[in-house]
Amino acid sequence: MNEVTAAEMKQLEQRADAAGLSYRQMMENAGAAAARLALRAVPEAKSAAIFCGKGNNGGDGFVAARHLANAGLAVRIFLVEGEPVTTDAVYNCGLARDMGLPVLALDALNQPEQAEFLKGSDLVLDGVYGTGFHGALRPAGLATARWMNEAPGKVLALDLPSGLEADSGNAAEGAVQAELTVTFHAAKPCHRLAAAQCGRVEVADIGITAVLNP
């Protein structure tokens, strides 16, 4: 399995953007691929709880949420640290809202209805922290990881499980334990160094190879 570091992946994305594959299109491709793999992993899935951070990993989650909803699943999105802040994540959160998908604050899980939805979800998507994560989980991230780790549904991490460092494979206390990880373009060192934390790893094509090697 080909492997790139977080810095190398960032450079590849910059080169792809310069070659005409926009960051927004890469995000769309990533989220759509994650949704396809989720449905392949749990073809009988009827519902999905999707946890989104405020950066581009969350943006991938918003895209996946749209595609899962279009496939007929009941979808609810939980914002781990408030509203998204990156341009493409803001855009895709807006698209999810325009579809009428519930976009809820994390503390909504203190309500019995939302807690029951999570408990009954066939799929739980981790779109909280991406390859830029280092150090310890902040309180909201730690609480979210606990929710995901205790949920009965299949936990699918986008790029890598939240709380895992992409290059070192070091896992923060309370990091997400994924059953399936969908990583984009190429594996990262953590998928090898912390294989048990990642579960089964699948690499999704998001268009970079085609645009850089036409």
Side-chain angles (χ1 to χ4, degrees):
M1 190 180 291
N2 290 335
E3 195 173 282
V4 299
T5 66
E8 288 168 342
M9 186 66 196
K10 189 173 183 178
Q11 291 174 346
L12 285 165
E13 290 170 340
Q14 290 170 343
R15 288 175 55 206
D17 179 67
L21 181 66
S22 69
Y23 285 103
R24 185 165 294 178
Q25 187 60 54
M26 284 184 265
M27 182 175 288
E28 180 68 26
N29 294 347
R36 286 194 301 271
L37 291 171
L39 292 170
R40 196 171 74 206
V42 189
E44 71 281 7
K46 299 290 189 293
S47 57
I50 301 177
F51 291 88
C52 294
K54 59 185 181 181
N56 287 334
N57 199 245
D60 297 337
F62 297 130
V63 174
R66 289 187 3 248
H67 286 273
L68 290 172
N70 285 335
L73 275 68
V75 170
R76 295 185 191 179
I77 298 167
F78 297 93
L79 300 178
V80 174
E81 293 181 320
E83 293 291 325
V85 297
T86 64
T87 301
D88 295 329
V90 170
Y91 173 80
N92 279 297
C93 183
L95 290 184
R97 283 190 164 115
D98 289 346
M99 282 181 67
L101 300 183
V103 180
L104 307 164
L106 185 64
D107 62 9
L109 285 169
N110 293 321
Q111 302 166 11
E113 177 194 354
Q114 307 305 339
E116 283 301 311
F117 181 85
L118 174 59
K119 187 176 179 180
S121 291
D122 302 303
L123 289 164
V124 179
L125 270 62
D126 170 15
V128 183
Y129 301 123
T131 57
F133 175 84
H134 293 281
L137 286 166
R138 295 186 288 270
L142 192 59
T144 300
R146 189 179 305 115
W147 281 112
M148 285 191 272
N149 287 337
E150 292 176 356
K154 181 177 283 290
V155 177
L156 186 155
L158 305 183
D159 221 5
L160 46 76
S162 291
L164 200 60
E165 293 184 358
D167 292 348
S168 70
N170 291 337
E173 182 178 354
V176 170
Q177 172 64 58
E179 294 173 74
L180 173 65
T181 294
V182 181
T183 193
F184 306 121
H185 178 68
K188 316 306 182 291
C190 64
H191 299 127
R192 171 177 49 84
L193 298 171
Q197 197 86 27
C198 299
R200 182 163 59 88
V201 177
E202 297 223 15
V203 179
D205 177 17
I206 60 171
I208 290 176
T209 299
V211 76
L212 295 184
N213 302 288

